[in-house]
Amino acid sequence: MTDYRAHFDFAISFANGGELSGTGFRLDLPSAEVSEAEIGRLLVQHLGLALVADVELRGLRIVAEPHRGSRGVDVGAAGHADAAASRVVDLSHRIRAGLLTYPGLPTPVITPHLTREDSRATYAPGTEFAMDIITMIGNTGTYLDSPFHRYADGPDLAGVDLATLVGLRAEVFHLADAWTAERRGIRPETLADRDVRGAAVLLHTGWDRHFGTPAYGRGAPFLTGEGAQWLIDAGAVLVGIDAVNIDDTAADAGGERPAHTLLLGAGVHVVEHLTNLGALPPTGARFTAAPPAIEGFGTFPVRAFAELP
């Protein structure tokens, strides 16, 4: 199936006086077979308006375009192009020897402890095993930050509650066209049209296309401190992003990490370096990202995935 969105300018008048107008507006549609009057009603519902007298749409175009999660537009997972193709969507980068995840950090080294050839001297004929050693920093591939990553007295990987990592309702914000090089920070206003209480909030920025290249570490989008605080107050359980860091890592950011500080201080998990978020619908998926239960450790790779109904 194909997603559709309406592009238009609009003018709205109210029964008790006053007007509202907008240009270059975009709105998710349940299908391409929607009348102009129906789009007007969807717009009113999306904006949460009351006492509307008249809605005028100008320059209306209906185009094939991935949904962004317009409020009040009931499209669900069935309205997304990839939802019918697979029940489980892998959201993790593969780990391999030499993988560059975060510029400046060491890459994984994989060496054999027991080769298949050597094991033949120990086991019965026709029976062989391989046992390998991987040496890597916890910040490798797609990984989860527990509060211990930021706070010495916070829960470590063994101390996090599995109920806050498994089968979470996913609210996916498709933001690939919602930020610019001059405005990279994701603010509360961009997130405020959803109920995120108890949910995993997944920020799809499209930056994962640079993963493994030098460009990945420069000029990436990030969550602002104000955006992090809004998600905490709104009751989010986990926040994930498909970029190099949930904070701004630019040199002029001064080394501050407000998103990490606020989220992990409030017990909200952080998952960084996600990928393939564009394959998820705005709502309707279940998200899982569970690390090994390692004591005294704050960050480790996860196999992050989403289940579609």
Side-chain angles (χ1 to χ4, degrees), residues 143-145 164-165 168-169 171 173 175 186 191 196 198-204 222-224 227-242 245-247 259-260 262-264 266-274 277 287 289:
Y143 54 77
L144 178 135
D145 292 340
T164 62
L165 299 170
L168 301 175
R169 175 172 61 88
E171 292 292 333
F173 290 83
L175 308 174
I186 300 167
L191 310 171
V196 300
V201 174
L202 307 180
L203 305 176
H204 170 221
F222 60 92
L223 180 66
T224 64
Q229 187 61 57
W230 188 90
L231 290 173
I232 294 167
D233 295 340
V237 173
L238 179 150
V239 182
I241 192 168
D242 59 355
N245 202 295
I246 203 161
D247 273 298
H260 276 94
L262 292 167
L263 292 171
L264 297 179
V268 178
H269 308 306
V270 173
V271 178
E272 294 170 314
H273 312 283
L274 286 163
L277 290 178
F287 178 78

Side-chain angles (χ1 to χ4, degrees), residues 96-102 104-110 135-137 140:
R96 62 181 181 276
L99 174 71
L100 175 64
T101 299
Y102 199 105
L105 295 184
T107 62
V109 177
I110 299 176
T135 303
M136 67 180 184
I137 191 168
T140 297

Side-chain angles (χ1 to χ4, degrees), residues 41-80:
R41 288 191 289 271
L42 289 174
L43 173 64
V44 170
Q45 188 176 10
H46 173 69
L47 296 177
L49 303 176
L51 299 176
V52 171
D54 185 62
V55 179
E56 179 185 355
L57 305 183
R58 308 186 187 106
L60 175 63
R61 295 184 297 124
I62 296 177
V63 300
E65 187 174 271
H67 285 145
R68 299 293 191 264
S70 298
R71 180 175 57 182
V73 182
D74 185 14
V75 294
H80 194 272

Side-chain angles (χ1 to χ4, degrees), residues 8-12 20-25 43 47 55-58:
F8 54 87
D9 301 338
F10 70 85
I12 296 175
L20 178 68
S21 63
T23 59
F25 202 82
L43 173 64
L47 296 177
V55 179
E56 179 185 355
L57 305 183
R58 308 186 187 106

Side-chain angles (χ1 to χ4, degrees), residues 177-255:
D177 58 357
W179 62 273
T180 65
E182 294 74 28
R183 186 182 173 88
R184 295 183 291 117
I186 300 167
R187 301 183 56 79
E189 294 81 0
T190 306
L191 310 171
D193 66 331
R194 304 269 196 95
D195 175 12
V196 300
R197 185 164 300 280
V201 174
L202 307 180
L203 305 176
H204 170 221
T205 70
W207 200 251
D208 56 326
R209 67 186 183 276
H210 297 302
F211 185 80
T213 73
Y216 189 62
R218 300 191 298 266
F222 60 92
L223 180 66
T224 64
E226 295 83 0
Q229 187 61 57
W230 188 90
L231 290 173
I232 294 167
D233 295 340
V237 173
L238 179 150
V239 182
I241 192 168
D242 59 355
V244 67
N245 202 295
I246 203 161
D247 273 298
D248 186 6
T249 60
D252 58 5

